[in-house]
């Protein structure tokens, strides 16, 4: 049948016309049908502007668009381009000089994927969700002319992109000048080894001998080695902003190179990393919920814990400072590791912490060991961010959503989603935690936020071992946003204190919120967190933590859950008592 069709066509059209008709519909891979779309997709230009080597590549790709894909398989693409050019040379369409020049030209691919634009990772997340829905409802997402309403706010997305770009440009430069591959040779060689074994060319090699040849060729190919090195030292990022009342994802940046979208990994939804100190709010939430006030003191002294494998471990504070007792408020503000460990041992039992984290939306496995207090259990950035939304939303969890409504081409609603709020914490506990996390921003480890953003906000930094992961999750009364910054290969890491969450991640948060709240077209209200009924402010004795008498020498104000007000100070009960030396040892309240 095809032969007959071809004959009929040949009678009516010239060869050139047939060729151009064919080129108008032929498949060039990655969803591109026709030469014009292919030119746009791969070279970001019109077909009429293509150079000779570019045209030759696209023609060569027709044989098997995926096999000769210039993005996944640049070497194969160069080889097939050369085949086409050589045919043209043999047919006398090219001179030797033209041939030589074209064959040595770089591929020059400027991949402009269909998913690029403001929020490619968000769009891809929507596409993947639609594909799942398609099975359920039996629609074809590419042909049925569906209209999909999403939760994305394009204005907020612009600010997210800008904040990430601006911060990472500077950070990448700084990192590149400090990271030393000579000191990390073994990481580089194992990364190259892995990249070669993942390469389809290696995979396709038929015999062990052929594989060995491919292996050695790639290993000594400086272009290949450079590309691995560059990928290894690229700072990655996941940024997400959610409206905690509705769960709507308002902005999402899935990677640092989101513009090319060559690399589809979404670092908001598809990675699991240790949160470090960004996990501590779950510990302190349990303590507060169990009736311990922010003024409760714990010893800031080294503590040794037994690890799951039976080894002993003595965690350090990041700044290495120990001494005396500190309040829960200050321990969170300055992110003191040993106090978080003592809290989980003394006032916030491990199983309760796990239970609270799960209730607040963490679905990843949290092993029942004290080390989780400083964030050794991996989490997904989206879930951690959403969990902080519970504090912003007065104890109510609304799980993140990103598709509002799907309509068919006639405007019939196929599916729509509505927020499902669940109360998971008391208003009082949520507010007390917010007030403690205000301290993190105001003078604590997250104070770089204040270089950009001045309105009421709260949050927590996180940093993991060897500066492999930097986190900041924070919120205003209206929005919660979380940022993870790190490397895809977590053996690559920041080299000094610039890898702390407060420096590597928090500035992105500040820049983003400044942009959003300054933009009148978005119209975010300027409000403060509201102290709810059931939370009271009281003056307490700084020494005993109990309600102050007129004789207490140092007084501070603190907020309390009204249910758990401390008793009146019983040390300073008369004018002379303020001179009595305070008892040693741990003091409750
Ligand atoms: Zn007192």
């Amino acid at each position: 049948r095809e032969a007959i069709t071809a004959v009929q066509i040949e009678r009516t059209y010239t060869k050139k016309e047939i060729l151009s008709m064919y080129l108008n519909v032929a498949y060039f891979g990655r969803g591109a049908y026709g030469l014009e779309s292919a030119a746009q997709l791969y070279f970001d230009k019109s077909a009429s502007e293509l150079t000779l080597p570019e045209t030759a590549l696209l023609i060569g790709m027709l044989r098997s668009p995926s096999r000769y894909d210039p993005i996944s398989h640049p070497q194969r693409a160069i080889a097939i381009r050369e085949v086409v050019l050589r045919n043209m040379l043999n047919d006398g369409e090219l001179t030797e000089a033209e041939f030589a020049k074209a064959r040595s030209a770089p591929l020059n691919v400027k991949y402009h994927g269909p998913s690029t634009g403001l929020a490619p990772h968000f769009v891809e997340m929507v596409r993947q969700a639609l594909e799942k829905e398609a099975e359920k409802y039996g629609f074809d997402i590419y042909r049925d002319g569906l209209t999909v309403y999403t939760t994305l706010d394009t204005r907020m997305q612009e600010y997210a992109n800008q904040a990430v770009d601006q911060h990472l440009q500077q950070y990448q430069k700084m990192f590149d000048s400090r990271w030393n591959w000579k000191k990390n040779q073994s990481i580089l060689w194992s990364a190259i080894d892995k990249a070669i074994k993942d390469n389809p060319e290696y995979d396709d090699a038929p015999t062990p001998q052929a594989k060995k040849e491919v292996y050695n060729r790639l290993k000594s190919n400086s272009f290949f080695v450079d590309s691995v090195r560059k990928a290894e030292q690229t700072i990655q990022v996941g940024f997400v902003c959610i409206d905690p009342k509705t769960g709507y994802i308002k902005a999402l940046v899935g990677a640092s190179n989101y513009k090319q979208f060559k690399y589809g990994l979404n670092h908001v939804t598809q990675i699991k990393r240790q949160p470090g100190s960004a996990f501590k709010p779950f510990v302190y939430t349990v303590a507060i919920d169990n009736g311990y006030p922010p003024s409760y003191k714990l010893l800031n002294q080294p503590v040794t814990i037994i690890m799951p494998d039976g080894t002993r471990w003595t965690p350090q504070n990041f700044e290495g400072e120990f001494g005396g007792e500190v309040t829960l408020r200050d321990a969170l503000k300055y992110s003191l590791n040993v106090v978080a460990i003592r809290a989980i041992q003394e006032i916030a039992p491990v199983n309760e912490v796990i239970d609270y984290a799960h209730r607040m939306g963490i679905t990843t496995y949290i092993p029942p060991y004290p080390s989780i207090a400083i964030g050794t259990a991996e989490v997904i950035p989206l879930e951690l961010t959403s969990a902080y939304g519970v504090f912003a939303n007065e104890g109510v969890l609304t799980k993140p959503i990103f598709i509002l409504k799907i309509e068919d081409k006639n405007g019939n609603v196929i599916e729509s989603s509505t927020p499902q709020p669940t109360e998971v914490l008391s208003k009082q506990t949520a507010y007390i935690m917010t007030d403690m996390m205000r301290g993190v921003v105001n003078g604590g480890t997250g104070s770089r936020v204040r270089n950009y953003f001045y309105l009421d906000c709260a949050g927590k930094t996180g940093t993991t071992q060897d500066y492999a992961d930097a986190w900041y999750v924070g919120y205003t009364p209206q929005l919660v946003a979380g940022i993870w910054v790190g490397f895809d290969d977590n053996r690559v890491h920041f080299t000094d204190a610039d890898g702390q969450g407060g420096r590597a991640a928090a500035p992105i948060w500040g820049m983003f919120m400044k942009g959003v709240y300054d933009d009148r077209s978005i119209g975010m209200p300027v409000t403060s967190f509201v102290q709810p009924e059931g939370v009271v402010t009281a003056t307490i004795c700084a020494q005993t933590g109990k309600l102050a008498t007129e004789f207490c020498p140092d007084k501070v104000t603190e907020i309390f859950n009204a249910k758990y007000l401390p008793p009146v100070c019983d040390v300073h009960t008369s004018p002379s008592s303020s001179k009595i030396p305070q008892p040693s040892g741990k003091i409750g309240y």
Side-chain angles (χ1 to χ4, degrees), residues 63 82-93 99:
R63 226 186 251 194
E82 186 159 335
V83 170
V84 174
L85 290 168
R86 196 172 289 282
N87 284 341
M88 293 175 75
L89 175 71
N90 294 342
D91 290 350
E93 289 175 44
F99 170 72

Side-chain angles (χ1 to χ4, degrees), residues 541 544 549 552-553 569 571-572:
C541 171
T544 64
T549 69
C552 293
C569 179
V571 173
H572 308 109

